Amino acid sequence: MRLYNERRILTVTQFTALVRGVLEENFEHVWVEGEISNLSQPQSGYLYFTLKDAGAQLRTVMFRTAVRSLKFTPQNGMRVLCRGRVTVYEARGDYQLIIEYIEPQGLGALQLAFIQLKERLAKEGLFSETRKKPIPALPQRIGVVTSPTGAAIRDILTVLSRRFSNVELLIVPVRVQGDGAAQEIATAIDDLNRHGKIDVMIVGRGGGSLEDLWAFNEEVVARAIARSAIPVISAVGHETDFSIADFVADLRAATPSAAAEVVVRSKAALTAEVSSLSHRMMMAMERTLEGHRGRVQSLSRAVQDPSRVLGRLSQRVDDLSERMERQVRHRLGRESSRTESLSCRLEVQNPAMQLKKVQAHVESLTSRAQFAMERRLITARDSLKFAGATLHAVSPLATLSRGYSIARKLPRLEVVRDSRQIAPGDRVELTFAKGSALCSVEESDGAGKP
């Protein structure tokens, strides 16, 4: 088809607008199959990727509203089938496919979404057995989150009225399929937790296709069950149907009827069990009473007359009292003798007496020392007197006093003992008893003689 047969000059913008109009008019709804590559999702929430096969590539964009409706998460390398419309991004002059719907090839979109969500929640530990709460044995109030018009609520009511008709039910009506159903189910679970007066809750619905049951595969429902403080029993579809809610719930029931049977035990069975337990308890009590009765009788025979026991004990007390009195007297006598002995010893070794003895001894020693010192002084005085007399007798002064003198030759003051020591002209000093004189030698009989 030739749109222009004549020469006409167009601007780039005009030409691009013409091409975009042609493409949008002729490719409004196309299905394209290919492999995802260069996948990106900026903050705008748009999804950008290239759809390619062995021979070509096609730019695509998925707007935020379409992305929100996706049941699975696209990934690079994933082969997908896309439905969209072709247009031109005028800023770059690229043509691109605006995708409105996408589904994975091989697995269906819901099945892939189920697998992806199951793997992610399992990694977070939401399926762990350690976080599952026990189901109460005899719940008094049961919450039920389901459709008020579905088969599930009828089955639950039938089973409960048959097994235990007086159990209290609190039904929270919700949509169980279609848009918004998952959010209603999650909100109902949270409401029952805020209500608080519920022992256990059943969340479920009757059978249906995967699409019908899909609300119980939504993440919002799974997280509401996970954060529930009240134990949750999931009852979704038939026995062969498994949902994400089943994995997160504290207990999975194959069907809503099975959930009702699990949560409430049969009243008849409970009555029979109570009767059996009562009978066993009575038998046990009788055996126990019989055992105690025999023991009391045995103890009664072993018990003696208290007056006899009291008499023996009184006699024993008297005997012990007498022995104790004798021992006390003996002990007192012995201690008294010991005290007297110690008193005598103490008197003998009295410090005052010892001090008097020492004082007398000191006085005696003092007298003796004084006497000895006086004797010693007299003796010393006599000796000194005698020595003085002796010394006076041999003293040169005494000799001089009798008229003698001492001659000493000058200048060396040599004592002259021999006339041969001096000669005429020598000078001599004469020392008398009183005073001295300086003399010259005029004559000497021994002068010059050696």
Side-chain angles (χ1 to χ4, degrees):
M1 179 178 66
R2 299 184 61 184
L3 299 179
Y4 295 93
N5 295 322
E6 57 185 26
R7 178 183 175 87
R8 180 184 173 185
I9 306 302
L10 301 174
T11 64
V12 175
T13 301
Q14 290 172 334
F15 177 76
T16 302
L18 286 173
V19 171
R20 186 186 66 183
V22 171
L23 290 176
E24 290 181 352
E25 181 179 353
N26 291 278
F27 299 98
E28 186 174 2
H29 296 289
V30 295
W31 290 85
V32 182
E33 181 182 359
E35 180 182 316
I36 294 176
S37 66
N38 300 323
L39 179 68
S40 66
Q41 188 172 22
Q43 293 182 350
S44 63
Y46 290 10
L47 202 62
Y48 297 95
F49 60 87
T50 300
L51 201 60
K52 68 178 185 180
D53 58 15
Q57 297 185 357
L58 173 62
R59 290 180 179 273
T60 67
V61 59
M62 195 169 189
F63 295 149
R64 184 166 48 198
T65 53
V67 172
R68 288 174 179 170
S69 64
L70 279 176
K71 301 297 184 185
F72 67 99
T73 303
Q75 297 175 351
N76 282 322
M78 183 180 291
R79 192 165 184 82
V80 294
L81 177 63
C82 304
R83 186 195 69 199
R85 53 189 172 87
V86 179
T87 186
V88 173
Y89 182 55
E90 295 177 347
R92 289 199 302 263
D94 294 339
Y95 82 96
Q96 62 183 5
L97 182 65
I98 299 176
I99 297 176
E100 299 170 345
Y101 172 80
I102 184 172
E103 66 179 35
Q105 294 295 287
L107 292 175
L110 294 182
Q111 187 63 28
L112 181 58
F114 178 88
I115 294 173
Q116 289 178 340
L117 180 60
K118 181 182 176 185
E119 292 177 349
R120 182 156 53 87
L121 296 183
K123 290 180 181 177
E124 294 182 20
L126 266 68
F127 303 160
S128 174
E129 291 295 328
T130 58
R131 55 164 298 281
K132 293 184 181 298
K133 297 175 284 296
I135 306 300
L138 293 172
Q140 297 181 353
R141 297 184 182 86
I142 302 171
V144 180
V145 178
T146 189
S147 170
T149 59
I153 189 61
R154 291 196 301 271
D155 295 342
I156 291 173
L157 292 175
T158 300
V159 173
L160 292 181
S161 62
R162 173 166 48 83
R163 295 173 68 86
F164 216 114
S165 59
N166 54 351
V167 68
E168 184 177 344
L169 284 183
L170 178 59
I171 301 173
V172 183
V174 295
R175 288 181 294 169
V176 292
Q177 69 182 70
D179 293 338
Q183 187 58 52
E184 286 190 18
I185 296 170
T187 301
I189 295 172
D190 292 337
D191 289 344
L192 285 177
N193 276 276
R194 282 190 288 272
H195 182 271
K197 298 178 181 179
I198 298 298
D199 299 318
V200 64
M201 73 172 75
I202 299 173
V203 179
R205 55 153 291 161
S209 64
L210 179 60
E211 290 75 8
D212 294 338
L213 304 180
W214 188 252
F216 296 90
N217 290 322
E218 294 282 3
E219 184 174 354
V220 64
V221 174
R223 296 202 177 277
I225 295 174
R227 65 173 171 265
S228 173
I230 301 171
V232 176
I233 300 175
S234 67
V236 181
H238 300 299
E239 186 169 359
T240 56
D241 298 322
F242 280 87
S243 65
I244 296 296
D246 292 333
F247 295 109
V248 184
D250 299 294
L251 180 66
R252 177 199 178 246
T255 63
S257 300
E261 293 177 353
V262 168
V263 76
V264 175
R265 301 174 62 183
S266 171
K267 185 174 182 179
L270 287 173
T271 303
E273 185 175 350
V274 170
S275 299
S276 175
L277 291 174
S278 298
H279 178 70
R280 292 171 58 187
M281 183 177 67
M282 292 300 296
M283 295 295 293
M285 289 179 62
E286 289 181 1
R287 287 195 298 272
T288 302
L289 288 174
E290 186 64 28
H292 287 318
R293 188 179 295 110
R295 181 170 176 75
V296 169
Q297 292 176 354
S298 176
L299 291 174
S300 300
R301 289 191 294 272
V303 173
Q304 299 179 5
D305 185 0
S307 60
R308 295 181 180 178
V309 175
L310 185 60
R312 287 199 298 273
L313 292 177
S314 298
Q315 186 177 359
R316 177 68 174 166
V317 169
D318 293 339
D319 181 52
L320 292 175
S321 299
E322 185 179 355
R323 291 172 59 186
M324 184 175 66
E325 187 177 357
R326 286 200 304 272
Q327 289 182 358
V328 169
R329 284 200 300 271
H330 175 71
R331 183 70 176 269
L332 286 175
R334 188 177 63 185
E335 294 299 326
S336 178
S337 301
R338 186 166 178 269
T339 302
E340 290 177 358
S341 174
L342 291 174
S343 298
C344 294
R345 292 172 60 186
L346 181 61
E347 186 68 23
V348 172
Q349 297 179 358
N350 190 334
M353 298 294 294
Q354 295 293 329
L355 183 59
K356 287 182 180 178
K357 289 182 179 179
V358 171
Q359 189 174 2
H361 183 64
V362 169
E363 289 176 354
S364 175
L365 291 177
T366 302
S367 299
R368 291 170 62 185
Q370 188 175 2
F371 178 75
M373 287 181 66
E374 290 176 354
R375 293 288 303 273
R376 186 72 176 270
L377 286 174
I378 292 172
T379 302
R381 189 182 302 117
D382 293 342
S383 297
L384 181 61
K385 188 176 180 180
F386 176 76
T390 303
L391 182 61
H392 181 72
V394 296
S395 173
L397 294 178
T399 301
L400 291 178
S401 64
R402 286 196 303 269
Y404 294 98
S405 62
I406 299 173
R408 288 181 292 185
K409 183 181 179 182
L410 296 176
R412 299 177 61 180
L413 296 178
E414 298 173 348
V415 176
V416 180
R417 295 182 177 88
D418 192 342
S419 59
R420 289 176 295 182
Q421 292 181 248
I422 57 177
D426 290 340
R427 297 179 64 87
V428 177
E429 181 189 68
L430 296 179
T431 303
F432 307 102
K434 296 181 180 178
S436 62
L438 188 62
C439 303
S440 296
V441 178
E442 294 181 354
E443 186 177 350
S444 174
D445 57 358
K449 298 180 181 178

